[in-house]
Coordinates of all heavy atoms in Angstrom, one line a residue:
M1 N -5.1 20.5 6.2 CA -4.1 19.7 5.9 C -3.3 19.1 7.0 O -3.1 19.6 8.0 CB -3.1 20.5 5.1 CG -3.6 21.0 3.7 SD -3.8 19.5 2.5 CE -2.0 19.2 2.0
M2 N -3.0 17.8 6.9 CA -2.1 17.2 7.8 C -0.7 17.3 7.5 O -0.2 17.2 6.4 CB -2.5 15.7 7.6 CG -2.0 14.8 8.8 SD -2.9 13.1 8.9 CE -2.9 12.6 7.1
S3 N 0.0 17.7 8.5 CA 1.4 17.9 8.4 C 2.2 16.7 8.5 O 2.0 15.8 9.3 CB 1.9 19.0 9.4 OG 1.8 18.3 10.8
T4 N 3.1 16.5 7.6 CA 3.8 15.3 7.5 C 5.3 15.7 7.5 O 5.9 16.5 6.8 CB 3.6 14.6 6.2 OG1 2.3 14.4 6.0 CG2 4.4 13.2 6.1
P5 N 6.1 15.1 8.5 CA 7.5 15.5 8.6 C 8.2 14.9 7.3 O 7.9 14.1 6.7 CB 8.0 14.6 9.7 CG 6.8 14.4 10.5 CD 5.7 14.2 9.6
E6 N 9.3 15.9 7.0 CA 10.0 15.7 5.8 C 10.5 14.2 5.5 O 10.5 13.7 4.5 CB 11.1 16.6 5.6 CG 10.8 18.0 5.3 CD 10.0 18.2 4.0 OE1 10.4 17.6 3.1 OE2 9.1 19.0 3.9
D7 N 10.9 13.5 6.6 CA 11.6 12.3 6.5 C 10.5 11.1 6.5 O 10.9 10.0 6.5 CB 12.7 12.0 7.7 CG 12.0 12.1 8.9 OD1 10.8 12.5 9.1 OD2 12.7 11.6 9.9
Q8 N 9.3 11.5 6.7 CA 8.3 10.4 6.7 C 7.8 10.1 5.3 O 6.6 10.2 5.0 CB 7.1 10.9 7.6 CG 7.5 10.9 9.1 CD 7.5 9.5 9.7 OE1 8.6 8.9 9.7 NE2 6.4 9.1 10.0
S9 N 8.7 9.7 4.5 CA 8.3 9.4 3.2 C 9.1 8.1 2.8 O 10.2 7.8 3.2 CB 8.5 10.5 2.0 OG 9.7 10.8 2.0
C10 N 8.5 7.4 1.9 CA 9.0 6.1 1.4 C 10.4 6.3 0.7 O 10.5 7.1 -0.3 CB 8.0 5.5 0.3 SG 8.8 4.0 -0.4
G11 N 11.4 5.5 1.3 CA 12.8 5.6 0.8 C 12.8 5.0 -0.7 O 13.8 5.5 -1.3
I12 N 11.8 4.4 -1.2 CA 11.8 4.0 -2.6 C 11.1 4.7 -3.6 O 11.6 5.2 -4.5 CB 11.3 2.5 -2.6 CG1 12.0 1.4 -1.8 CG2 11.1 1.9 -4.1 CD1 11.5 0.2 -1.5
C13 N 9.8 5.1 -3.3 CA 9.1 5.8 -4.2 C 8.7 7.3 -3.7 O 8.2 8.0 -4.5 CB 7.8 5.1 -4.4 SG 6.6 5.0 -3.2
G14 N 9.0 7.6 -2.5 CA 8.9 8.9 -2.0 C 7.4 9.2 -1.6 O 7.1 10.3 -1.2
R15 N 6.5 8.1 -1.5 CA 5.2 8.3 -1.0 C 5.2 8.6 0.4 O 5.9 8.0 1.3 CB 4.5 6.8 -1.1 CG 3.1 6.7 -1.0 CD 2.6 5.3 -1.0 NE 1.3 5.0 -1.1 CZ 0.7 4.7 -2.3 NH1 1.5 4.6 -3.5 NH2 -0.6 4.6 -2.6
P16 N 4.3 9.7 0.9 CA 4.3 10.0 2.2 C 3.8 8.9 3.0 O 2.9 8.2 2.6 CB 3.4 11.2 2.2 CG 3.5 11.8 0.8 CD 3.7 10.6 0.0
L17 N 4.4 8.7 4.1 CA 4.0 7.5 5.0 C 2.9 7.7 6.0 O 2.8 8.8 6.4 CB 5.3 6.9 5.7 CG 6.4 6.4 4.9 CD1 7.6 6.0 5.7 CD2 5.9 5.3 4.0
N18 N 2.2 6.7 6.4 CA 1.2 6.8 7.4 C 0.1 7.8 7.2 O -0.3 8.5 8.1 CB 1.8 7.0 8.8 CG 3.0 5.9 9.1 OD1 2.7 4.8 9.0 ND2 4.1 6.3 9.6
V19 N -0.3 7.8 5.9 CA -1.5 8.7 5.6 C -2.7 8.0 5.7 O -2.9 6.7 5.3 CB -1.3 9.2 4.1 CG1 -2.6 9.9 3.7 CG2 -0.1 10.0 4.0
E20 N -3.6 8.4 6.6 CA -4.7 7.8 7.1 C -5.7 7.0 6.0 O -5.9 5.9 6.1 CB -5.6 8.6 7.8 CG -6.7 7.8 8.7 CD -7.5 8.8 9.6 OE1 -7.2 9.8 9.7 OE2 -8.4 8.1 10.2
V21 N -5.9 7.8 4.9 CA -6.7 7.2 3.9 C -6.0 6.2 2.8 O -6.6 5.7 2.0 CB -7.4 8.4 3.0 CG1 -8.3 9.1 4.0 CG2 -6.4 9.2 2.4
D22 N -4.7 6.2 3.0 CA -3.8 5.5 2.1 C -3.3 4.2 2.8 O -2.3 4.2 3.4 CB -2.8 6.3 1.6 CG -1.8 5.5 0.6 OD1 -2.1 4.2 0.3 OD2 -0.7 6.1 0.1
P23 N -4.1 3.0 2.5 CA -3.7 1.8 3.3 C -2.2 1.3 2.9 O -1.6 0.5 3.5 CB -4.7 0.8 2.9 CG -5.2 1.4 1.6 CD -5.1 2.9 1.6
L24 N -1.8 1.8 1.6 CA -0.4 1.4 1.2 C 0.7 2.3 1.7 O 1.9 1.9 1.4 CB -0.4 1.3 -0.4 CG -1.5 0.4 -1.0 CD1 -1.4 0.5 -2.5 CD2 -1.4 -1.0 -0.5
S25 N 0.4 3.3 2.4 CA 1.4 4.2 2.9 C 1.9 3.7 4.3 O 2.7 4.4 5.0 CB 0.8 5.6 3.2 OG -0.1 5.7 4.1
G26 N 1.5 2.6 4.8 CA 2.1 2.0 6.1 C 3.7 1.9 6.1 O 4.2 1.6 5.0
D27 N 4.2 2.4 7.2 CA 5.7 2.6 7.3 C 6.2 1.1 7.5 O 6.1 0.5 8.5 CB 6.1 3.3 8.4 CG 7.4 3.6 8.5 OD1 8.3 3.1 7.8 OD2 8.0 4.5 9.5
C28 N 7.0 0.6 6.5 CA 7.7 -0.7 6.7 C 9.2 -0.4 6.8 O 9.9 -0.7 5.9 CB 7.4 -1.5 5.4 SG 5.7 -2.1 5.2
G29 N 9.5 0.3 8.0 CA 10.9 0.4 8.2 C 11.7 1.5 7.2 O 12.7 1.4 6.8
G30 N 10.7 2.6 7.0 CA 11.2 3.6 6.1 C 10.8 3.6 4.7 O 11.0 4.5 3.9
D31 N 10.2 2.4 4.4 CA 9.6 2.3 3.1 C 8.1 2.0 3.2 O 7.6 1.6 4.2 CB 10.2 1.1 2.2 CG 11.8 1.3 2.1 OD1 12.1 2.5 1.8 OD2 12.5 0.4 2.3
C32 N 7.4 2.3 2.1 CA 5.9 2.1 2.2 C 5.5 0.6 1.9 O 6.2 -0.1 1.2 CB 5.1 3.1 1.2 SG 5.2 2.5 -0.5
W33 N 4.4 0.3 2.5 CA 3.9 -1.2 2.2 C 3.6 -1.4 0.7 O 3.8 -2.4 0.3 CB 2.7 -1.4 3.0 CG 1.9 -2.6 2.5 CD1 0.6 -2.6 2.1 CD2 2.3 -4.0 2.6 NE1 0.3 -4.0 1.7 CE2 1.3 -4.7 2.0 CE3 3.5 -4.6 3.0 CZ2 1.4 -6.2 1.9 CZ3 3.5 -6.0 2.8 CH2 2.6 -6.8 2.3
G34 N 3.2 -0.3 0.0 CA 3.0 -0.5 -1.3 C 4.2 -1.0 -2.2 O 4.2 -1.9 -2.9
C35 N 5.4 -0.5 -1.7 CA 6.6 -1.1 -2.4 C 7.0 -2.3 -1.8 O 7.4 -3.2 -2.6 CB 7.8 0.1 -2.2 SG 7.6 1.5 -3.2
I36 N 7.1 -2.3 -0.4 CA 7.6 -3.5 0.2 C 6.7 -4.8 -0.1 O 7.2 -5.8 -0.3 CB 7.7 -3.2 1.7 CG1 8.6 -2.2 1.9 CG2 8.1 -4.7 2.5 CD1 10.0 -2.4 1.6
G37 N 5.4 -4.5 -0.1 CA 4.6 -5.7 -0.4 C 4.8 -6.3 -1.8 O 4.9 -7.5 -1.9
L38 N 5.0 -5.4 -2.7 CA 5.1 -5.9 -4.1 C 6.5 -6.5 -4.2 O 6.6 -7.6 -4.9 CB 5.1 -4.7 -5.0 CG 5.5 -5.0 -6.5 CD1 4.4 -6.1 -7.1 CD2 5.4 -3.7 -7.3
I39 N 7.5 -6.0 -3.6 CA 8.9 -6.6 -3.6 C 8.9 -8.0 -2.9 O 9.4 -9.1 -3.6 CB 9.9 -5.6 -3.0 CG1 10.1 -4.4 -3.8 CG2 11.2 -6.4 -2.6 CD1 11.0 -3.3 -3.1
E40 N 8.2 -8.0 -1.8 CA 8.1 -9.4 -1.1 C 7.5 -10.3 -2.1 O 7.8 -11.6 -2.1 CB 7.5 -9.1 0.2 CG 8.6 -8.4 1.2 CD 7.8 -8.2 2.6 OE1 6.7 -8.7 2.8 OE2 8.7 -7.7 3.4
A41 N 6.3 -9.9 -2.5 CA 5.4 -10.9 -3.4 C 6.2 -11.4 -4.6 O 6.1 -12.5 -4.9 CB 4.1 -10.1 -3.7
Q42 N 7.1 -10.5 -5.2 CA 7.8 -10.8 -6.3 C 8.8 -11.8 -6.0 O 9.5 -12.4 -6.9 CB 8.4 -9.7 -7.0 CG 7.2 -8.8 -7.7 CD 7.8 -7.4 -8.3 OE1 8.8 -7.0 -7.9 NE2 7.2 -7.0 -9.4
M43 N 9.3 -11.9 -4.6 CA 10.2 -13.0 -4.3 C 9.7 -14.4 -4.5 O 10.5 -15.3 -4.6 CB 10.6 -12.8 -3.0 CG 11.5 -11.4 -2.6 SD 11.9 -11.3 -0.9 CE 12.7 -9.6 -0.9
G44 N 8.4 -14.5 -4.5 CA 7.8 -15.7 -4.8 C 7.9 -16.6 -3.7 O 8.1 -16.4 -2.5
G45 N 7.8 -17.9 -3.9 CA 7.9 -19.0 -3.0 C 6.6 -19.5 -2.5 O 5.6 -19.5 -3.2
D46 N 6.7 -20.1 -1.3 CA 5.4 -20.8 -0.8 C 4.6 -19.7 -0.3 O 4.9 -19.0 0.6 CB 5.8 -21.7 0.2 CG 4.6 -22.5 0.9 OD1 3.5 -22.1 0.7 OD2 4.9 -23.5 1.6
P47 N 3.4 -19.7 -0.8 CA 2.4 -18.5 -0.3 C 2.0 -18.7 1.1 O 1.7 -17.7 1.8 CB 1.2 -18.8 -1.1 CG 1.6 -19.4 -2.5 CD 2.7 -20.3 -1.9
E48 N 2.3 -19.8 1.7 CA 1.9 -20.0 3.1 C 3.1 -19.2 4.0 O 2.9 -19.0 5.2 CB 1.8 -21.4 3.5 CG 0.5 -22.0 2.9 CD 0.0 -23.2 3.5 OE1 0.8 -23.7 4.6 OE2 -0.9 -23.9 3.1
E49 N 4.3 -19.3 3.4 CA 5.3 -18.7 4.1 C 5.6 -17.3 3.8 O 5.9 -16.5 4.6 CB 6.7 -19.5 3.8 CG 6.8 -20.9 4.3 CD 8.0 -21.6 4.1 OE1 8.9 -21.0 3.6 OE2 8.1 -22.9 4.4
N50 N 5.4 -16.9 2.5 CA 5.5 -15.6 2.0 C 4.1 -15.0 2.0 O 3.5 -15.0 0.9 CB 6.2 -15.5 0.6 CG 6.4 -14.1 0.2 OD1 6.0 -13.2 0.9 ND2 7.1 -14.0 -1.0
I51 N 3.6 -14.5 3.0 CA 2.2 -14.0 3.1 C 1.9 -12.8 2.2 O 0.8 -12.4 1.9 CB 1.8 -13.8 4.6 CG1 2.5 -12.8 5.1 CG2 1.7 -15.1 5.3 CD1 2.0 -12.3 6.5
S52 N 3.1 -12.2 1.9 CA 2.7 -10.9 1.0 C 2.2 -11.3 -0.4 O 1.6 -10.4 -0.9 CB 4.2 -10.2 0.8 OG 4.7 -9.8 2.0
I53 N 2.5 -12.4 -0.8 CA 1.9 -12.8 -2.1 C 0.3 -12.8 -2.0 O -0.3 -12.2 -2.9 CB 2.2 -14.3 -2.4 CG1 3.8 -14.5 -2.8 CG2 1.6 -14.9 -3.7 CD1 4.3 -15.9 -3.0
G54 N -0.2 -13.3 -0.9 CA -1.7 -13.4 -0.8 C -2.2 -11.9 -0.5 O -3.3 -11.4 -1.0
S55 N -1.4 -11.1 0.3 CA -1.7 -9.8 0.6 C -1.9 -9.0 -0.5 O -2.8 -8.3 -0.8 CB -0.8 -9.2 1.6 OG -0.7 -10.0 2.8
V56 N -0.9 -9.0 -1.4 CA -0.8 -8.2 -2.6 C -2.0 -8.6 -3.5 O -2.7 -7.8 -4.0 CB 0.5 -8.3 -3.4 CG1 0.5 -7.6 -4.8 CG2 1.6 -7.4 -2.5
A57 N -2.2 -10.0 -3.6 CA -3.3 -10.4 -4.5 C -4.8 -9.9 -4.1 O -5.5 -9.5 -4.9 CB -3.3 -11.9 -4.6
T58 N -4.7 -9.9 -2.8 CA -6.1 -9.3 -2.2 C -6.2 -7.9 -2.5 O -7.3 -7.4 -2.7 CB -6.0 -9.8 -0.8 OG1 -6.0 -11.0 -0.4 CG2 -7.4 -9.1 0.1
E59 N -5.1 -7.2 -2.2 CA -5.2 -5.7 -2.5 C -5.4 -5.4 -4.1 O -5.9 -4.4 -4.3 CB -3.8 -5.2 -1.9 CG -3.8 -5.2 -0.5 CD -2.6 -4.8 0.2 OE1 -1.6 -4.3 -0.6 OE2 -2.4 -5.1 1.3
V60 N -5.0 -6.2 -4.9 CA -5.4 -6.1 -6.3 C -7.0 -6.3 -6.5 O -7.6 -5.4 -7.1 CB -4.6 -7.1 -7.2 CG1 -5.2 -7.0 -8.7 CG2 -3.1 -6.8 -7.3
D61 N -7.5 -7.2 -5.9 CA -8.9 -7.5 -5.9 C -9.7 -6.3 -5.3 O -10.7 -6.0 -5.8 CB -9.4 -8.7 -5.0 CG -8.9 -10.0 -5.7 OD1 -8.6 -10.0 -6.8 OD2 -9.0 -11.1 -5.0
W62 N -9.1 -5.6 -4.2 CA -9.8 -4.5 -3.6 C -9.5 -3.3 -4.4 O -10.2 -2.3 -4.1 CB -9.1 -4.3 -2.3 CG -9.6 -5.4 -1.2 CD1 -10.6 -6.3 -1.4 CD2 -9.1 -5.6 0.1 NE1 -10.7 -7.1 -0.2 CE2 -9.8 -6.7 0.6 CE3 -7.9 -4.9 0.8 CZ2 -9.4 -7.2 1.9 CZ3 -7.6 -5.5 2.0 CH2 -8.4 -6.6 2.6
G63 N -8.8 -3.3 -5.4 CA -8.5 -2.1 -6.3 C -7.5 -1.2 -5.7 O -7.3 0.0 -6.2
W64 N -6.6 -1.6 -4.8 CA -5.6 -0.8 -4.2 C -4.4 -0.9 -5.0 O -3.5 0.1 -5.1 CB -5.3 -1.4 -2.8 CG -6.3 -1.1 -1.8 CD1 -7.5 -0.7 -2.1 CD2 -6.2 -1.5 -0.4 NE1 -8.2 -0.7 -0.9 CE2 -7.5 -1.2 0.2 CE3 -5.2 -2.1 0.4 CZ2 -7.8 -1.4 1.6 CZ3 -5.5 -2.3 1.7 CH2 -6.9 -2.0 2.3
R65 N -4.2 -2.0 -5.9 CA -3.1 -2.1 -6.8 C -3.5 -2.4 -8.1 O -4.6 -2.9 -8.5 CB -2.2 -3.4 -6.2 CG -1.6 -3.0 -4.8 CD -0.9 -4.3 -4.4 NE -0.4 -4.2 -3.0 CZ 0.8 -3.7 -2.7 NH1 1.6 -3.4 -3.7 NH2 1.2 -3.7 -1.5
E66 N -2.5 -2.2 -9.2 CA -2.7 -2.5 -10.5 C -2.7 -4.0 -10.5 O -2.2 -4.7 -9.6 CB -1.7 -2.0 -11.4 CG -1.6 -0.4 -11.2 CD -2.8 0.3 -11.7 OE1 -3.6 -0.2 -12.3 OE2 -2.8 1.6 -11.3
S67 N -3.2 -4.6 -11.6 CA -3.2 -6.0 -11.8 C -1.9 -6.7 -11.6 O -1.7 -7.8 -11.2 CB -3.8 -6.4 -13.0 OG -3.0 -5.9 -14.2
G68 N -0.7 -6.0 -11.9 CA 0.5 -6.5 -11.8 C 1.1 -6.4 -10.3 O 2.2 -6.9 -10.0
G69 N 0.4 -5.7 -9.4 CA 0.7 -5.6 -8.0 C 1.2 -4.2 -7.7 O 1.5 -3.9 -6.6
S70 N 1.5 -3.4 -8.7 CA 2.0 -2.0 -8.4 C 1.1 -1.3 -7.7 O -0.2 -1.3 -8.0 CB 2.3 -1.3 -9.8 OG 3.1 -2.0 -10.5
P71 N 1.4 -0.6 -6.6 CA 0.6 0.3 -5.9 C -0.1 1.4 -6.7 O 0.7 2.0 -7.4 CB 1.4 0.7 -4.7 CG 2.9 0.7 -5.1 CD 2.9 -0.4 -6.3
K72 N -1.2 1.6 -6.4 CA -1.9 2.8 -7.0 C -1.4 4.0 -6.2 O -0.9 3.9 -5.0 CB -3.4 2.7 -6.9 CG -3.9 1.6 -8.0 CD -5.4 1.7 -8.2 CE -5.8 0.6 -9.3 NZ -7.3 0.6 -9.4
S73 N -1.5 5.1 -6.9 CA -0.9 6.4 -6.3 C -1.6 6.9 -5.1 O -2.8 6.6 -5.0 CB -0.7 7.5 -7.4 OG -2.1 7.9 -7.7
Q74 N -0.8 7.5 -4.3 CA -1.5 8.1 -3.1 C -2.7 9.0 -3.4 O -3.7 9.0 -2.9 CB -0.5 8.8 -2.2 CG -1.1 9.1 -0.8 CD 0.0 9.5 0.1 OE1 0.4 10.5 0.2 NE2 0.3 8.3 0.9
R75 N -2.5 9.8 -4.5 CA -3.5 10.6 -4.9 C -4.8 9.9 -5.2 O -5.9 10.4 -4.8 CB -3.1 11.4 -6.4 CG -4.1 12.2 -7.0 CD -3.8 12.9 -8.1 NE -2.6 14.0 -7.8 CZ -2.3 14.8 -8.7 NH1 -2.9 15.0 -10.0 NH2 -1.3 15.8 -8.4
F76 N -4.6 8.7 -5.8 CA -5.9 7.9 -6.0 C -6.7 7.7 -4.7 O -7.9 7.7 -4.7 CB -5.5 6.5 -6.6 CG -6.6 5.5 -6.6 CD1 -7.6 5.6 -7.7 CD2 -6.6 4.5 -5.7 CE1 -8.6 4.6 -7.6 CE2 -7.7 3.6 -5.8 CZ -8.6 3.6 -6.8
F77 N -5.9 7.3 -3.7 CA -6.5 7.1 -2.3 C -7.2 8.4 -1.7 O -8.3 8.4 -1.1 CB -5.8 6.5 -1.4 CG -5.4 4.9 -1.8 CD1 -4.1 4.7 -2.4 CD2 -6.2 4.0 -1.5 CE1 -3.8 3.4 -2.8 CE2 -6.1 2.8 -1.9 CZ -4.7 2.4 -2.6
L78 N -6.5 9.4 -2.0 CA -6.9 10.9 -1.4 C -8.1 11.3 -2.1 O -9.0 11.9 -1.6 CB -5.8 11.8 -1.6 CG -4.5 11.6 -0.8 CD1 -3.4 12.6 -1.1 CD2 -4.9 11.9 0.7
E79 N -8.2 11.1 -3.4 CA -9.4 11.2 -4.1 C -10.6 10.3 -4.0 O -11.7 10.5 -4.3 CB -9.1 11.4 -5.7 CG -8.2 12.5 -6.0 CD -7.7 12.6 -7.5 OE1 -8.0 11.6 -8.2 OE2 -7.2 13.7 -7.7
N80 N -10.3 9.0 -3.5 CA -11.3 8.0 -3.3 C -11.1 7.5 -1.9 O -11.0 6.3 -1.7 CB -11.1 6.9 -4.2 CG -11.3 7.4 -5.8 OD1 -12.4 7.6 -6.3 ND2 -10.0 7.6 -6.4
P81 N -11.4 8.3 -0.8 CA -11.1 7.9 0.5 C -11.9 6.7 1.0 O -11.4 5.9 1.9 CB -11.5 9.1 1.4 CG -12.4 9.9 0.5 CD -11.9 9.7 -0.9
E82 N -13.0 6.4 0.3 CA -13.7 5.2 0.7 C -13.0 3.8 0.3 O -13.2 2.8 1.0 CB -15.1 5.2 0.0 CG -16.0 6.3 0.6 CD -16.3 6.1 2.0 OE1 -16.6 5.0 2.4 OE2 -16.1 7.1 2.8
I83 N -12.3 3.9 -0.8 CA -11.7 2.7 -1.3 C -10.7 2.1 -0.3 O -10.3 0.9 -0.4 CB -11.2 2.8 -2.7 CG1 -11.2 1.5 -3.4 CG2 -9.9 3.4 -2.8 CD1 -11.1 1.7 -5.0
G84 N -10.0 3.0 0.3 CA -8.9 2.5 1.2 C -9.3 1.9 2.4 O -8.5 1.4 3.1
K85 N -10.6 1.9 2.7 CA -11.0 1.2 3.9 C -11.2 -0.3 3.7 O -11.6 -0.8 2.6 CB -12.5 1.7 4.3 CG -12.4 3.2 4.8 CD -13.9 3.7 5.0 CE -13.8 5.1 5.4 NZ -15.0 5.7 5.5
T86 N -10.6 -1.1 4.6 CA -10.5 -2.6 4.4 C -12.0 -3.1 4.3 O -12.8 -2.9 5.3 CB -9.8 -3.2 5.6 OG1 -8.6 -2.5 5.7 CG2 -9.6 -4.7 5.3
P87 N -12.3 -3.8 3.2 CA -13.7 -4.3 3.0 C -14.1 -5.3 4.1 O -15.4 -5.2 4.5 CB -13.6 -5.0 1.7 CG -12.4 -4.4 1.0 CD -11.4 -4.1 2.1
V88 N -13.3 -6.1 4.7 CA -13.6 -6.9 5.6 C -13.2 -6.4 7.0 O -12.0 -5.9 7.0 CB -13.1 -8.5 5.4 CG1 -13.7 -9.0 4.3 CG2 -11.5 -8.3 5.3
S89 N -13.9 -6.5 8.1 CA -13.5 -5.9 9.3 C -13.3 -7.0 10.5 O -13.6 -8.2 10.1 CB -14.5 -5.0 9.8 OG -15.7 -5.6 9.9
Ligands
LIG101 ZN1 7.0 3.1 -1.8

């Protein structure tokens, strides 16, 4: 088991941050990318300026998020470690 410090979890959803198999657990200033990406995407605007819109749409395509952009649970990635790998390198 990987040890995770108590404070290393998302301030919004409580998701543990920086978990290797969970690409949505990236630390965005104390919150996870899963939450931040969706919030930013929901702000809307010009997709060329708000790149989170495209990023979230891509992650929906990859199966990392529900169709509405909600992040899938960390358990999903822990149980399916292959899916969290970025399809394009
Ligand atoms: Zn979160």
Side-chain angles (χ1 to χ4, degrees):
M1 289 290 287
M2 195 161 44
S3 66
T4 307
E6 287 295 323
D7 60 346
Q8 289 286 90
S9 59
C10 172
I12 298 172
C13 72
R15 191 187 198 96
L17 297 175
N18 300 318
V19 174
E20 190 175 356
V21 297
D22 178 5
L24 302 183
S25 70
D27 186 354
C28 297
D31 303 313
C32 74
W33 164 246
C35 288
I36 296 300
L38 178 60
I39 289 168
E40 289 182 355
Q42 286 176 336
M43 289 177 185
D46 184 344
E48 290 195 8
E49 291 181 10
N50 185 357
I51 59 168
S52 293
I53 294 173
S55 297
V56 167
T58 299
E59 291 169 9
V60 170
D61 285 345
W62 289 346
W64 294 0
R65 296 175 183 271
E66 308 294 347
S67 58
S70 302
K72 292 195 175 172
S73 69
Q74 187 162 88
R75 174 176 294 191
F76 170 78
F77 292 100
L78 292 171
E79 291 176 350
N80 302 278
E82 291 300 314
I83 204 164
K85 292 176 181 170
T86 309
V88 289
S89 57

